[in-house]
């Protein structure tokens, strides 16, 4: 269960900004704040663009209005967030859907509670893309047969997405050489010719484009239109013992997602407070979509493709995983 992004990120959800970002950790281990009558809950996440709605919602008071105070704890990826949530280190966490489905299929007691991010659904205008150098002879994902293609984590959401693009273009995904590489290392590796294609997410996508690279596919969209890429989750134990806290978190997160989706300028501004992504890069970044509800049909398609790719020990039970 390595990952994000993200992940993310994303995908991812999405470690693109992890190497150059830092979390606005505020400490605390959960519990009532006697001075304000609020309950502090710790959220494990990756400091990337994807989670901007939570920072924005905290700033706007959406969580405080419901008696919650979020304490953000930075992690490198889902490998740390999933066990952190299950062990009670975090009350909530952020992870891509494939990582959550892998966990669920392995009987790890996790429960998705609120939507995270989604694809824009617009080919060529998404926060992720399969990219090549500007002068590459590769014209479509089918041409990647026999080529070296970088993804951030093998046997996870981006592998499924790349394989979907190759398959959709009429190619054989088993003939593509997938190699693991961190998102932030992909632009340089692509530019130097060490890889022939890269599955990147923002802000690495903006960097690739600035180097003259071009997109040949939008893999998340090839999986399913408007794919739910990541969600916020908790442990089944916490969900059963604190249903009122989960409901408050769900309501405040839904309001935060809606606000972020309609205020992109404020999203870009808040991202500068918890990452070190330069403002000029952020201005060129394509933001994901933040719908209030997950797309069940799209998640089912992701699960079906992941199962075909051999990612799961047993078929994920989406009725148990999803809210």
């Amino acid at each position: 269960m390595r990952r994000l992004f993200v992940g993310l990120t994303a995908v991812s959800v999405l470690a693109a900004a992890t190497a150059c970002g830092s979390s606005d950790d505020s400490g605390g281990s959960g519990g009532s704040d006697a001075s304000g009558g609020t309950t502090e809950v710790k959220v494990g996440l990756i400091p990337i663009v994807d989670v901007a709605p939570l920072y924005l919602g905290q700033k706007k008071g959406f969580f405080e209005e419901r008696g919650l105070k979020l304490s953000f704890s930075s992690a490198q990826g889902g490998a740390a967030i999933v066990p952190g949530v299950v062990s009670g280190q975090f009350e909530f966490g952020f992870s891509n859907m494939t990582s959550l489905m892998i966990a669920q299929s392995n009987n790890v007691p996790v429960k998705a509670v609120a939507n995270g991010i989604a694809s824009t659904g617009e080919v060529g205008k998404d926060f992720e893309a399969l990219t090549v150098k500007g002068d590459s002879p590769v014209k479509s994902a089918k041409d990647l047969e026999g080529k070296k293609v970088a993804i951030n984590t093998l046997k996870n959401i981006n592998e499924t997405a790349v394989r979907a693009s190759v398959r959709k273009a009429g190619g054989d995904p088993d003939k593509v050489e997938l190699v693991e590489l961190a998102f932030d290392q992909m632009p340089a590796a692509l530019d130097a010719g060490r890889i022939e294609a890269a599955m990147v997410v923002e802000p690495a996508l903006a960097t690739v484009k600035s180097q003259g690279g071009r997109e040949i596919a939008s893999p998340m969209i090839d999986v399913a239109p408007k794919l739910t890429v990541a969600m916020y989750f908790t442990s089944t134990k916490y969900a059963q013992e604190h249903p009122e806290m989960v409901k408050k978190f769900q309501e405040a997160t839904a309001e935060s997602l809606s606000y972020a989706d309609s205020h992109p300028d404020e999203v870009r501004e808040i991202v500068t407070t918890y990452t070190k992504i330069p403002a000029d890069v952020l201005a060129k970044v394509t933001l994901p979509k933040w719908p209030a509800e997950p797309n069940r049909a799209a998640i089912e398609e992701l699960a079906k493709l992941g199962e075909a790719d051999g990612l799961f020990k047993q078929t994920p039970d989406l009725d148990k995983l999803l809210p």
Side-chain angles (χ1 to χ4, degrees):
M1 294 182 292
R2 298 180 57 215
R3 201 227 188 232
L4 107 119
F5 9 230
V6 36
L8 217 195
T9 129
V11 239
S12 115
V13 13
L14 304 162
T18 303
C20 60
S22 60
S23 173
D24 181 22
D25 293 347
S26 55
S29 57
S32 297
D33 179 348
S35 62
T38 59
T39 299
E40 183 177 84
V41 293
K42 184 170 284 188
V43 184
L45 43 71
I46 306 169
I48 50 177
V49 174
D50 305 38
V51 298
L54 255 63
Y55 284 89
L56 197 53
Q58 176 105 308
K59 179 181 178 181
K60 290 294 179 180
F62 301 153
F63 290 89
E64 185 178 1
E65 288 170 6
R66 294 168 174 85
L68 295 181
K69 177 183 178 183
L70 303 186
S71 171
F72 300 117
S73 185
S74 176
Q76 292 298 311
I81 296 174
V82 171
V85 169
V86 172
S87 69
Q89 179 184 357
F90 312 131
E91 279 74 42
F92 299 97
F94 178 85
S95 182
N96 75 69
M97 290 312 305
T98 296
S99 285
L100 290 176
M101 288 190 289
I102 289 173
Q104 202 281 327
S105 72
N106 282 307
N107 296 314
V108 177
V110 293
K111 176 73 175 178
V113 295
N115 204 23
I117 63 165
S119 160
T120 65
E122 296 183 60
V123 175
K125 296 181 180 180
D126 203 12
F127 73 97
E128 51 76 36
L130 191 51
T131 60
V132 296
K133 289 185 67 173
D135 60 358
S136 171
V138 174
K139 301 300 181 184
S140 76
K142 182 181 187 301
D143 300 331
L144 295 177
E145 293 181 351
K147 302 289 196 300
K148 187 179 291 186
V149 181
I151 57 177
N152 72 314
T153 305
L154 295 170
K155 300 299 180 184
N156 211 287
I157 191 168
N158 284 316
E159 176 166 337
T160 294
V162 169
R163 289 175 64 86
S165 288
V166 174
R167 200 179 293 115
K168 184 177 181 180
D172 183 352
D174 290 336
K175 293 182 179 179
V176 178
E177 183 185 353
L178 296 173
V179 297
E180 194 169 279
L181 192 65
F183 283 126
D184 62 316
Q185 296 176 21
M186 291 183 189
L190 186 63
D191 197 48
R194 295 192 296 275
I195 53 175
E196 289 154 296
M199 170 62 186
V200 291
V201 299
E202 295 290 15
L205 177 55
T207 302
V208 168
K209 289 179 179 179
S210 73
Q211 295 174 171
R214 56 186 172 83
E215 301 182 27
I216 60 169
S218 298
M220 295 296 180
I221 298 174
D222 286 339
V223 169
K226 299 184 178 180
L227 175 66
T228 297
V229 178
M231 292 184 70
Y232 294 96
F233 70 102
T234 188
S235 66
T236 55
K237 182 175 185 290
Y238 187 83
Q240 291 166 358
E241 294 180 354
H242 303 280
E244 72 290 345
M245 290 293 103
V246 172
K247 183 179 180 181
K248 290 176 180 180
F249 181 83
Q250 289 172 323
E251 292 175 349
T253 298
E255 186 173 3
S256 300
L257 292 169
S258 177
Y259 189 88
D261 218 35
S262 58
H263 294 80
D265 290 342
E266 289 188 51
V267 167
R268 296 179 198 277
E269 182 180 352
I270 201 75
V271 170
T272 64
T273 67
Y274 65 91
T275 78
K276 295 180 181 177
I277 302 175
D280 60 331
V281 173
L282 266 176
K284 300 174 183 177
V285 163
T286 299
L287 298 176
K289 298 299 289 182
W290 287 292
E293 299 294 333
N295 184 334
R296 171 73 182 240
I299 296 172
E300 289 175 350
E301 186 62 26
L302 179 64
K304 184 169 69 174
L305 292 174
E307 190 161 23
D309 292 338
L311 300 188
F312 310 125
K313 187 174 181 179
Q314 57 186 338
T315 302
D317 188 335
L318 296 184
D319 289 333
K320 287 184 178 180
L321 178 62
L322 299 177

